[in-house]
Amino acid sequence: MVGLGVYLLPERHENAVVWDRMISKQKDLRLQSLQLSPDSFSSTYDREAQFSRSEWKARLQNPKAFTFIAHKNLETPSMDVANATDMVQESWVGMAVLIGPLNSSSISEVLDDEFAKEGVLEFLQFEICGLFVLPDARRAGLGKALIRAAIAHAVHLACEKDVDEVCVGMAVTAGNMNVMGLYKSMGFVVAKGTATETEVQMVLRKTVH
């Protein structure tokens, strides 16, 4: 039976061969997403295909960017050397990146007003970007699994900082009702006053403690 799961990629790995393979697989999946779903992203395949090796490595080493991949066949998604070695041999079929904590975002003003009215003095902002699942791996719950993993990590980071509220945002292409329906089913709502002709900002608030 084929196993499916989600794995948070590390910022580095002591095994140079494994680390190099992680960088390559992250690059390949990202470029696939830009080729197969160009209307879903603000960047383009032509732009990112020109990135150097150091730029792809820097994406994984960014201390405020957490890359999650959905994979087939990996049964135990822990991060020890053996599992990481096995993981880079498996099929990566989806990915998402959690960005944050952010000092500000496209919906900061809306959130500041909303939280101020409720008397919330401190909260952390995050954004989920680059969500993608390969066409032949869809309808297996991997999109939701990637989003849940990203949210859980945001909550974890908030706990470490002893902050009680987390706000996770996502940009959705205007008119993409299927994607909006997915996010709404997970508790996201459209952020007031953020809709444009091309994009809608959706947001999820989470109480940590």
Side-chain angles (χ1 to χ4, degrees):
M1 181 177 178
V2 175
L4 297 171
V6 173
Y7 186 100
L8 171 61
L9 296 182
E11 293 182 7
R12 58 188 54 80
H13 197 279
E14 62 186 21
N15 184 315
V17 175
V18 171
W19 177 233
D20 188 66
R21 188 71 178 131
M22 282 185 186
I23 296 169
S24 293
K25 290 178 74 72
Q26 174 234 181
K27 169 188 173 182
D28 292 345
L29 186 55
R30 171 61 176 175
L31 291 179
Q32 271 189 291
S33 73
L34 294 170
Q35 281 185 307
L36 295 174
S37 302
D39 295 335
S40 298
F41 305 102
S42 58
S43 188
T44 66
Y45 174 84
D46 289 340
R47 173 177 174 268
E48 297 196 15
Q50 304 301 315
F51 284 0
S52 67
R53 190 72 172 176
S54 61
E55 287 176 293
W56 289 108
K57 181 171 74 171
R59 284 195 167 189
L60 291 181
Q61 293 182 325
N62 182 344
K64 287 198 172 187
F66 305 91
T67 301
F68 296 84
I69 61 100
H71 52 75
K72 291 182 179 179
N73 302 330
L74 182 64
E75 294 182 0
T76 308
S78 62
M79 285 204 223
D80 60 44
V81 175
N83 282 322
T85 302
D86 292 341
M87 183 268 295
V88 296
Q89 305 300 322
E90 306 298 350
S91 298
W92 293 14
V93 296
M95 70 187 302
V97 181
L98 177 72
I99 306 294
L102 300 169
N103 293 325
S104 63
S105 70
S106 55
I107 55 174
S108 290
E109 187 174 334
V110 174
L111 294 176
D112 288 342
D113 289 344
E114 186 175 310
F115 281 114
K117 290 177 182 177
E118 298 176 17
V120 177
L121 301 178
E122 190 175 14
F123 63 96
L124 294 185
Q125 292 184 63
F126 296 85
E127 290 183 358
I128 298 176
C129 306
L131 179 66
F132 175 76
V133 176
L134 288 172
D136 61 359
R138 292 172 187 170
R139 301 188 183 282
L142 288 176
K144 282 188 175 182
L146 285 162
I147 295 170
R148 287 195 191 101
I151 294 169
H153 195 64
V155 169
H156 169 72
L157 294 174
C159 286
E160 288 187 335
K161 295 179 179 293
D162 198 28
V163 176
D164 291 336
E165 293 272 354
V166 163
C167 189
V168 181
M170 298 185 75
V172 181
T173 302
N176 193 334
M177 303 309 295
N178 288 336
V179 172
M180 287 185 68
L182 168 66
Y183 298 152
K184 285 181 178 179
S185 73
M186 300 186 70
F188 285 81
V189 297
V190 175
K192 297 177 182 178
T194 64
T196 67
E197 292 183 1
T198 60
E199 192 174 82
V200 174
Q201 293 288 337
M202 301 192 72
V203 66
L204 172 73
R205 289 181 54 180
K206 198 84 172 175
T207 301
V208 175
H209 299 296

